[in-house]
Amino acid sequence: MEDIERDWDKPVTDAGIAAKASVIVRVGMLDLGAGTGSFRVREMMHRIAYPLGVHVRADVNLTDIEASCTDGKDRITEVIDLPTTGVNTERIWLLEHFADWFNVNLGKGSMYHHQSEVSEGLMQHLDKKDASQVSADLSKQLRERQKVEQNQEGSDDPVLDALEMVTERAKDDDSTARPLHLRDIEEAQYRADYAVSDVEADSASDSKASGRTAEVSGSDAKRSRRGQARRFVRERAGKPPKEYAEHFDHIGKTRGDQPGITVRQAHERLDMIERRKPLYSPLFAGFASACACASFVFLLGGGPFDMIGAFVGAGLGHWLRRKLFAHHLNQFFVTFVCVAVAALACTGTLRLIGLFNPVALQHDTAYIGAMLFVIPGFPLITGGLDMAKIDFPSGIQRVCYVLCIILMATLAGWMVASVVHLNPEGFEPLGLNPVVNCLLRMLFAFIGVWGFSVMFNSPQRMCLVAATIGLITDTLRLEIVDMGVPAEAGAFIGALLAGLLASAWRSAVRHGWLPPHLGYPRICLTVPSIVIMVPGLYMYQAMFHLGQFDTLNALDWAFRAFMVIICLPIGLAMARVITDKSWRYDV
């Protein structure tokens, strides 16, 4: 701690290994606490370590990280433990922007996003509740600047021409920390890369400044400024090396007076990311859970009465879960209590409706739909992806955690069914016209994925993108299953398509075909879109029959669930292998 305090106000590139490791490991800790898998935690830590000239060797598990960091001279090992695990997709998204802000301001290229100006702006406005709206406003301002610059100079490359103007923007008002001026980094990079003297560099800088104040006129000055901006963008757009040995190339080189990020500034922004409150109140999150589970019930074949019961039960159950989690109660205890409350609320609602319409009393399967809000989709999918990356310790821990949550939920559901004498036999066929059924599936797939995204604390724009992907993939899965394709193959195809669509969306943003503020992490789009494919009905049916000592039916339902479950992460992993070189090769 003394080493970190000593370097607190130093540029992080000049700080000791202890201060550098504190930033690297803390980023990994926040990413792990947000629910992502070990492969992504390591990737994020390497992104932060790369511009610092630090090599990281990390063992990442469900709730702990042991990381050894070395800069070629010194080595330090840090161990952190989290009290619990959860899901927060907004934090995963903000940490990507933090990594870009960190790399760009240390003179390296943007890692995740096409236009790093949005990342820089977000890091200056982390005190705003709706970071998604902030990024949208920044993206709009950037497009307006590009149009103005294009109209003024008639350039055929507005992005590059606007860069000089955009990167010199330093708004002191309404910011959470003093801005870091990329113009200074440009000048320092110009000195280092082109080996010019201070006098020559200052002369070039003065020439650009006088040109901006209309002292220098003519096309030559404009072409010179645009050429320098283009050279700077090409340098910043460089990719990190594949070999970690190259991380040490710049150690010992003279940095001169190049400005950068201090250790204090890095931790201040990480503090603000860590302390951000949930985007949605428990009441709104309960409403989203109710919508998601009611939609889930329809996609499983349920009718209006089943959907009403699931809506009431899931809404009340998730609202209670948020309230109990605020008191830091044990996850398994909370899961048991909330599932029992949801099942009782669903059954009570249908019994109440049955006083006026006796048909509602026949819907004994609806209570299963009311419990689907506890499906641990994120650890289930990330655990499978970890094992696909040969990280079995983390993957097995996540799968065991998933099994524990499912066991507590299904046990609570079975106990409620035993007490109130329920006998779930599945949903009755609705007999809808195929075209109408397909359209309703599209509608409820969209609503269901939107609801799960809200439960994962996704910003609304992210929710809508994930819901659009879910609309396409889940409707396709259900339609091909109706045509005779096995449910396991349908799950694989749906997950594969979800991964490909998320990658295509990400690529479109990076190429500038979509606005830069819509560049969301793949995991934040794919998991909500396929959580609705998890066979929760199969798992609860297996536990119900096991409680009745009907082991043959219990094993039948359990193996059906198992086959579908393993196909989901396999489909996502195949999509990553197709679209991502780091997944395609074992290096």
Side-chain angles (χ1 to χ4, degrees):
M1 291 303 297
E2 291 180 357
D3 293 336
I4 298 174
E5 290 176 358
R6 183 184 65 245
D7 295 337
W8 194 242
D9 289 310
K10 285 184 179 180
V12 67
T13 51
D14 297 330
I17 187 63
K20 293 178 180 178
S22 70
V23 177
I24 297 168
V25 176
R26 191 176 181 194
V27 168
M29 177 193 71
L30 292 178
D31 217 24
L32 181 65
T36 189
S38 65
F39 71 95
R40 186 176 176 83
V41 172
R42 288 195 185 92
E43 178 189 88
M44 185 64 68
M45 294 173 70
H46 287 310
R47 298 298 196 195
I48 302 301
Y50 164 64
L52 300 178
V54 174
H55 178 68
V56 182
R57 166 67 172 84
D59 290 326
V60 183
N61 296 309
L62 179 63
T63 58
D64 63 89
I65 301 175
E66 180 178 349
S68 295
C69 303
T70 178
D71 61 359
K73 299 177 182 178
D74 302 303
R75 177 186 297 271
I76 189 171
T77 299
E78 286 197 23
V79 180
I80 62 101
D81 290 289
L82 300 174
T84 186
T85 185
V87 179
N88 189 339
T89 51
E90 186 204 33
R91 181 184 292 180
I92 297 173
W93 172 61
L94 288 176
L95 285 173
E96 276 199 357
H97 283 287
F98 175 87
D100 275 356
W101 168 82
F102 191 84
N103 276 267
V104 169
N105 282 283
L106 294 185
K108 301 298 178 181
S110 176
M111 300 288 183
Y112 291 105
H113 300 94
H114 174 64
Q115 292 175 307
S116 60
E117 293 79 14
V118 175
S119 299
E120 184 181 9
L122 269 179
M123 291 303 105
Q124 305 297 336
H125 295 86
L126 287 171
D127 56 339
K128 303 297 183 182
K129 182 177 180 180
D130 191 354
S132 178
Q133 184 59 46
V134 172
S135 68
D137 292 340
L138 291 168
S139 177
K140 182 179 179 181
Q141 293 173 9
L142 182 60
R143 290 197 302 271
E144 290 175 352
R145 284 178 177 270
Q146 291 170 356
K147 290 180 181 178
V148 170
E149 193 74 8
Q150 184 178 15
N151 292 335
Q152 287 179 350
E153 299 190 0
S155 171
D156 58 349
D157 198 344
V159 174
L160 292 176
D161 288 342
L163 177 67
E164 183 182 15
M165 194 172 179
V166 172
T167 55
E168 289 172 2
R169 184 176 70 252
K171 296 183 178 179
D172 294 326
D173 56 321
D174 194 27
S175 62
T176 62
R178 67 177 178 273
L180 298 174
H181 300 283
L182 295 180
R183 175 169 171 258
D184 296 333
I185 296 178
E186 175 185 352
E187 293 172 355
Q189 188 75 23
Y190 183 82
R191 288 189 179 96
D193 291 349
Y194 298 96
V196 298
S197 65
D198 289 346
V199 174
E200 292 171 334
D202 291 339
S203 176
S205 177
D206 292 341
S207 176
K208 288 197 292 182
S210 61
R212 281 188 296 271
T213 57
E215 292 293 330
V216 176
S217 60
S219 59
D220 291 341
K222 293 180 181 178
R223 284 196 297 268
S224 175
R225 291 197 299 273
R226 289 199 296 270
Q228 291 170 6
R230 287 189 175 91
R231 284 197 298 272
F232 176 55
V233 129
R234 293 188 189 106
E235 292 298 322
R236 280 178 41 190
K239 299 295 182 182
K242 294 181 179 179
E243 297 81 10
Y244 289 124
E246 292 185 29
H247 285 202
F248 301 95
D249 286 350
H250 64 282
I251 291 180
K253 292 183 179 179
T254 303
R255 302 183 188 275
D257 58 350
Q258 177 175 341
I261 301 170
T262 65
V263 178
R264 179 192 297 275
Q265 287 175 321
H267 279 290
E268 283 176 349
R269 283 156 176 80
L270 292 175
D271 284 340
M272 300 187 76
I273 293 175
E274 182 177 10
R275 295 169 185 170
R276 286 180 65 83
K277 295 181 180 180
L279 293 173
Y280 310 105
S281 67
L283 186 62
F284 188 82
F287 171 75
S289 172
C291 292
C293 291
S295 301
F296 209 152
V297 166
F298 177 83
L299 297 175
L300 291 173
F305 288 121
D306 302 301
M307 295 174 66
I308 292 172
F311 184 91
V312 174
L316 181 61
H318 189 65
W319 171 83
L320 180 62
R321 183 165 71 155
R322 280 284 302 270
K323 288 290 187 181
L324 294 178
F325 277 160
H327 297 283
H328 306 288
L329 295 177
N330 181 272
Q331 279 203 38
F332 302 117
F333 168 76
V334 171
T335 299
F336 186 92
V337 170
C338 293
V339 166
V341 169
L344 289 172
C346 175
T347 305
T349 299
L350 292 178
R351 297 285 170 89
L352 183 61
I353 296 175
L355 297 176
F356 307 95
N357 189 341
V359 177
L361 300 175
Q362 302 174 9
H363 294 263
D364 282 352
T365 311
Y367 82 98
I368 295 179
M371 301 186 296
L372 297 178
F373 67 93
V374 298
I375 289 179
F378 241 87
L380 174 64
I381 302 303
T382 55
L385 293 176
D386 283 346
M387 287 190 280
K389 293 289 285 185
I390 321 297
D391 190 350
F392 289 102
S394 175
I396 292 173
Q397 287 185 27
R398 290 178 180 276
V399 171
C400 289
Y401 168 76
V402 168
L403 292 177
C404 290
I405 292 291
I406 292 175
L407 178 63
M408 296 302 296
T410 53
L411 183 61
W414 168 74
M415 292 181 66
V416 169
S418 300
V419 170
V420 299
H421 305 291
L422 298 176
N423 185 27
E425 295 293 340
F427 299 108
E428 295 292 332
L430 297 178
L432 296 174
N433 179 278
V435 176
V436 174
N437 192 38
C438 180
L439 294 176
L440 289 175
R441 281 175 171 175
M442 295 174 67
L443 172 64
F444 288 113
F446 183 91
I447 296 174
V449 175
W450 173 85
F452 279 113
S453 296
V454 170
M455 292 166 62
F456 295 152
N457 199 48
S458 299
Q460 280 300 311
R461 289 178 177 83
M462 189 188 298
C463 293
L464 296 177
V465 175
T468 302
I469 294 175
L471 176 152
I472 298 170
T473 57
D474 200 57
T475 302
L476 175 65
R477 175 185 70 92
L478 294 172
E479 291 296 318
I480 63 176
V481 169
D482 286 348
M483 295 176 185
V485 175
E488 299 80 11
F492 171 82
I493 294 172
L496 175 65
L497 181 59
L500 294 176
L501 289 176
S503 296
W505 182 274
R506 180 90 170 192
S507 179
V509 174
R510 287 191 63 86
H511 285 84
W513 301 332
L514 290 172
H517 65 281
L518 297 179
Y520 301 122
R522 291 186 189 92
I523 196 73
C524 298
L525 301 179
T526 54
V527 173
S529 65
I530 69 171
V531 162
I532 208 165
M533 302 180 189
V534 175
L537 177 62
Y538 293 1
M539 294 184 288
Y540 292 126
Q541 285 279 23
M543 177 55 70
F544 176 81
H545 289 294
L546 185 62
Q548 302 297 323
F549 298 101
D550 185 359
T551 54
L552 186 61
N553 276 330
L555 287 174
D556 179 61
W557 284 106
F559 277 109
R560 288 187 189 183
F562 173 75
M563 290 301 296
V564 173
I565 287 173
I566 64 172
C567 286
L568 294 176
I570 290 176
L572 283 186
M574 290 297 293
R576 290 298 295 267
V577 168
I578 294 171
T579 60
D580 191 337
K581 291 182 179 179
S582 65
W583 282 68
R584 195 176 308 152
Y585 304 104
D586 290 329
V587 292

